[in-house]
Amino acid sequence: MKKLFFIDPMSINSLAYYDYNLLNNICGYDITFIGNKQYNGSSFKNVTFNPLFSYSNKKNPIIKLLSYIWSLISIWCLILKSRPDIVHIQWIRVWILDYILLSFIRMRGCNVVYTAHNLLPHDTGEKYYKQYKRYYKRVNKIIVHTQSSKERLSEKFGISLNKIDVIPHGILSFPISEKEVNDCYQKIIQDFKLSGKFVITSLGIQCPYKGTDILVDLWSSEERFCKNDDLILLLIGKNKGIDYSKIECCKNVIIQDRFLDDTEFQAFIKASSLVVLPYREISQSGVLFSALARRKPILVSDAGGLQDPLRIANVGWCMGEANRDNLYNYLKKLINDMETYREVANDSVSFEKIEHYYSWQSIGKQTTQLYNSL
C-alpha cells in the first residue's frame, strides 16, 4: 500500500474537521497525518496521527518560530525514515522555511500536493506574490476549491491548468454533542432575547477582508436596521481591525469579541436566520459550509467561490460586489419580503442537493483519484 503524509500545521477547530472529514474518506493509502498538538477534531480510525506542531500555543514570537522550525526538522526526519510516496500539504506558515522543506521533499523524490485554500494570505495584498509563485511552481499538483480560483491561479501565477485540480470544500458538520449545542442555543436565545427576531449573523474572525466594516457602517447609519425591534445583528468572533464604536450604541446589535469553541460556534449558527458573508476577498469559506450544514440561508458577495452553492441550489442570495449599496438593497429586500426568505429557508430539497454535491465521500474519492494520477 502506498504511503501518504498529510501535513496541516493549522489543524484546529474548523480546519481540524476539514482534515478529519477528508482523511476518513481517502481509500487505498497508508496515511500519516502530521497535525497540530491542539487538534480538537474526532479520533481517526485508519490514520496514524502524529501531532508535531506545537507553535500555536507559544506566546513568545521567537519561541514560536523555533518551535515551528523544530517541527519542520522532525517532519523531514520522519520523511527520510518512512519514505512516503505522496506528501499533501494544507497550509504554509513561514514561507522560506516551508519552501526549504518543500525543496528537500522534492529532492527526496516524493510527489507533493498543495491545497491552495487561499491563493495569497489574507490582508497582505501582493506582498507575498513572488514567494507563493515559487512555491506553486515547485509542487506537483495544486488543489483549489472553485473553478474561479483555478482560473485566477493559472492567470495570476502562470501555472498550467493541467497542474490545478478543482475539488470542492465539503460541508462542515461537526461531530459534537447535539444536546450540548441545543443547550447552548437555548441559552443564547434567552440571554440575548432572540426569540421571535430575525437574526442576521456575521460569524468568525471579524476583519476587513470579510467586509465586517461594510456591515457595521450600513447598520449604524440606517434607521430601518438599527432601530428595527424585529431585527438582531450578531457580530460573533474575535475582532481584528474593525471599529465597533459607531455601532455599540445600537440596541439590536450583539457583539461577542472572542474566540468560540465548537459548541458555541454551532449554537450561534443555529440561532441565526441569515448568515451574511460580504467578503471582499476569499477563495472559499468554512463559515459558509458550516451554515449550509445547518441549513441556514446565506447572503454572500461574488468573491471567490462564495456564490458556487447558489449555482447548485436555491439556498440564498448573491449581492454581487461587496459594497454598502448592494448589501443594503438585499437586506432591505429580505426584510420587506419575508415570504421570499421563507421560501429559501424551508426548501429542504435544495439543501439536500447541497449536501449531496459537497459530500465528503465524493470529495475523498476525487482526492484519491488525484493521488492515483501521480
Side-chain angles (χ1 to χ4, degrees):
M1 185 179 291
K2 291 185 177 181
K3 293 182 180 180
L4 166 68
F5 270 30
F6 189 94
I7 303 173
D8 186 357
M10 297 171 61
S11 50
I12 305 170
N13 298 329
S14 62
L15 300 179
Y17 287 108
Y18 175 92
D19 296 336
Y20 168 80
N21 284 302
L22 177 56
L23 291 176
N24 275 348
N25 286 281
I26 291 174
C27 302
Y29 283 84
D30 178 6
I31 303 173
T32 297
F33 171 36
I34 301 173
N36 197 294
K37 287 188 176 180
Q38 291 185 293
Y39 171 82
N40 56 343
S42 298
S43 300
F44 294 96
K45 295 179 181 179
N46 299 309
V47 175
T48 301
F49 179 41
N50 199 334
L52 292 180
F53 290 101
S54 58
Y55 71 93
S56 53
N57 61 2
K58 306 290 192 297
K59 294 183 179 180
N60 185 298
I62 296 177
I63 295 176
K64 186 187 287 281
L65 178 61
L66 291 174
S67 174
Y68 193 74
I69 292 172
W70 179 249
S71 298
L72 298 187
I73 292 172
S74 300
I75 291 170
W76 174 236
C77 293
L78 194 59
I79 287 174
L80 287 176
K81 179 181 178 180
S82 299
R83 300 187 176 186
D85 299 283
I86 295 173
V87 177
H88 188 166
I89 299 170
Q90 289 293 308
W91 297 91
I92 58 179
R93 301 294 293 152
V94 183
W95 176 83
I96 186 61
L97 299 177
D98 290 296
Y99 185 77
I100 291 171
L101 176 63
L102 170 62
S103 297
F104 283 160
I105 294 172
R106 294 290 289 119
M107 289 169 59
R108 176 65 187 78
C110 300
N111 287 302
V112 179
V113 178
Y114 177 68
T115 298
H117 295 284
N118 304 305
L119 304 190
L120 287 170
H122 290 308
D123 292 329
T124 61
E126 300 293 305
K127 182 178 180 180
Y128 296 104
Y129 170 80
K130 291 182 180 179
Q131 292 91 326
Y132 270 72
K133 182 175 182 177
R134 287 181 66 187
Y135 199 92
Y136 290 143
K137 295 281 188 180
R138 199 81 171 88
V139 301
N140 297 91
K141 278 283 190 176
I142 304 169
I143 294 174
V144 294
H145 296 311
T146 67
Q147 183 63 33
S148 62
S149 293
K150 177 175 181 175
E151 293 166 0
R152 286 177 56 222
L153 178 60
S154 177
E155 181 179 350
K156 186 179 183 70
F157 295 92
I159 307 296
S160 169
L161 289 171
N162 293 330
K163 189 175 180 176
I164 309 168
D165 281 39
V166 179
I167 300 179
H169 190 304
I171 290 288
L172 280 179
S173 54
F174 289 49
I176 55 181
S177 167
E178 275 302 310
K179 182 183 183 306
E180 291 180 8
V181 171
N182 193 58
D183 289 344
C184 185
Y185 160 78
Q186 295 293 346
K187 187 175 187 303
I188 289 170
I189 296 296
Q190 182 176 355
D191 290 352
F192 299 133
K193 299 179 174 59
L194 302 183
S195 181
K197 307 290 187 180
F198 188 81
V199 181
I200 300 170
T201 304
S202 175
L203 191 63
I205 293 175
Q206 305 297 319
C207 53
Y209 85 82
K210 290 188 173 183
T212 309
D213 55 317
I214 301 173
L215 183 57
V216 168
D217 290 341
L218 173 62
W219 201 275
S220 63
S221 60
E222 291 290 340
E223 290 189 359
R224 73 166 63 242
F225 300 137
C226 65
K227 293 187 177 182
N228 190 332
D229 293 336
D230 294 326
L231 302 180
I232 294 287
L233 174 63
L234 300 182
L235 299 173
I236 309 297
K238 189 65 178 176
N239 181 12
K240 293 193 175 181
I242 303 300
D243 180 11
Y244 283 153
S245 60
K246 65 181 72 174
I247 205 173
E248 288 172 341
C249 60
C250 297
K251 295 181 179 179
N252 63 350
V253 176
I254 306 296
I255 298 172
Q256 294 286 287
D257 181 7
R258 59 187 177 85
F259 292 107
L260 306 178
D261 62 34
D262 293 340
T263 300
E264 290 178 307
F265 184 83
Q266 292 296 310
F268 273 111
I269 292 177
K270 186 174 181 178
S272 304
S273 307
L274 178 71
V275 177
V276 293
L277 298 96
Y279 290 11
R280 291 184 171 92
E281 179 186 357
I282 196 71
S283 293
Q284 198 47 278
S285 166
V287 173
L288 171 72
F289 288 103
S290 297
L292 293 176
R294 289 274 169 191
R295 297 193 170 190
K296 294 296 178 178
I298 55 174
L299 174 59
V300 302
S301 68
D302 62 2
L306 293 180
Q307 72 275 31
D308 283 4
L310 305 180
R311 298 187 178 111
I312 298 162
N314 184 31
V315 293
W317 303 267
C318 179
M319 70 180 74
E321 182 182 351
N323 59 46
R324 188 185 187 281
D325 289 343
N326 288 344
L327 183 58
Y328 171 80
N329 289 333
Y330 270 87
L331 286 181
K332 181 181 71 171
K333 176 182 177 181
L334 292 175
I335 292 166
N336 291 341
D337 184 7
M338 291 305 297
E339 186 58 35
T340 297
Y341 166 80
R342 282 189 287 268
E343 286 178 2
V344 172
N346 298 328
D347 189 352
S348 59
V349 173
S350 288
F351 282 102
E352 287 171 4
K353 287 181 181 178
I354 291 293
E355 290 160 4
H356 176 74
Y357 181 84
Y358 291 106
S359 74
W360 284 105
Q361 185 177 5
S362 172
I363 291 166
K365 183 178 179 180
Q366 293 175 63
T367 307
T368 302
Q369 289 172 344
L370 183 151
Y371 294 156
N372 292 341
S373 72
L374 295 173

